[in-house]
């Protein structure tokens, strides 16, 4: 509604905008509180350092790209997780993860486990996307098997 008002150069409902921002910050706080229950103090410090360098514009863009990523995966749930397409989707997925967590596999894994279990509140797991998470897990397992075969 606010976006439409801005596009139409209409008067913006600032009280609505304020409520949207409040909800966004509440969700962000809830996410961080949930993270603190899953991570050690040291891991939480690393997460806070990571998040401190990210801007609100980054988060908006990042959320949009995750929405697109979820939709891409959702459209390909029918393909074999070992297929080239599934492996491409896995690489795109991991690219998004690494934008925030870099190569810190320990944080990546703990956050992933929290998202899959529902312990970390996200729009995606609220929307009951377990099939999507299972597909990504299966694609990852297939990638690891292929890597193992190539190393033998």
């Amino acid at each position: 509604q606010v976006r439409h008002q801005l596009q139409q150069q209409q008067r913006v409902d600032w009280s609505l905008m304020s409520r949207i921002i409040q909800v966004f910050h509440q969700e962000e706080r809830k996410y961080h509180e949930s993270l603190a229950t899953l991570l050690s103090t040291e891991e939480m410090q690393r997460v806070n350092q990571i998040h401190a360098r990210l801007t609100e514009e980054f988060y908006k863009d990042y959320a949009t790209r995750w929405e697109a990523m979820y939709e891409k995966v959702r459209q390909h749930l029918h393909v074999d997780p070992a297929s080239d397409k599934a492996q491409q989707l896995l690489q795109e997925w991991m690219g998004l993860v690494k934008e925030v967590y870099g190569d810190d596999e320990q944080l990546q894994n703990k956050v992933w486990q929290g998202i899959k279990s529902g312990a970390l509140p996200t729009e995606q797991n609220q929307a009951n996307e377990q099939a999507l998470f299972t597909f990504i897990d299966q694609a990852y397992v297939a990638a690891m098997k292929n890597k193992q075969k190539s190393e033998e």
Side-chain angles (χ1 to χ4, degrees), residues 30-80:
K30 190 187 307 181
Y31 182 83
H32 280 289
E33 289 168 3
S34 298
L35 262 179
T37 65
L38 296 173
L39 304 178
S40 70
T41 302
E42 177 191 319
E43 291 165 335
M44 200 60 205
Q45 287 172 345
R46 291 194 326 252
V47 167
N48 288 335
Q49 289 171 344
I50 290 167
H51 288 210
R53 68 177 165 76
L54 303 175
T55 65
E56 196 165 322
E57 289 78 29
F58 172 84
Y59 278 119
K60 288 178 189 174
D61 178 63
Y62 193 64
T64 300
R65 289 183 291 134
W66 268 114
E67 288 173 22
M69 181 79 246
Y70 273 70
E71 186 55 35
K72 274 189 201 179
V73 173
R74 198 176 291 112
Q75 291 174 5
H76 292 90
L77 289 174
H78 64 280
V79 304
D80 180 353

Side-chain angles (χ1 to χ4, degrees), residues 23-39 44 47-48 50-51 54 59 62 66 70 97 100-101 107-116 118-126:
V23 168
F24 175 77
H25 288 298
Q26 286 172 347
E27 291 301 315
E28 189 177 344
R29 274 193 302 276
K30 190 187 307 181
Y31 182 83
H32 280 289
E33 289 168 3
S34 298
L35 262 179
T37 65
L38 296 173
L39 304 178
M44 200 60 205
V47 167
N48 288 335
I50 290 167
H51 288 210
L54 303 175
Y59 278 119
Y62 193 64
W66 268 114
Y70 273 70
V97 170
V100 172
Y101 296 103
L107 282 180
Q108 290 174 10
N109 288 332
K110 283 196 171 182
V111 170
W112 176 236
Q113 295 306 318
I115 290 171
K116 288 190 316 180
L120 286 178
T122 68
E123 289 178 32
Q124 289 78 16
N125 65 18
Q126 290 173 3

Side-chain angles (χ1 to χ4, degrees), residues 13-25:
D13 182 347
W14 290 108
S15 64
L16 175 60
M17 179 66 92
S18 176
R19 287 193 306 267
I20 291 169
I21 291 169
Q22 284 178 325
V23 168
F24 175 77
H25 288 298

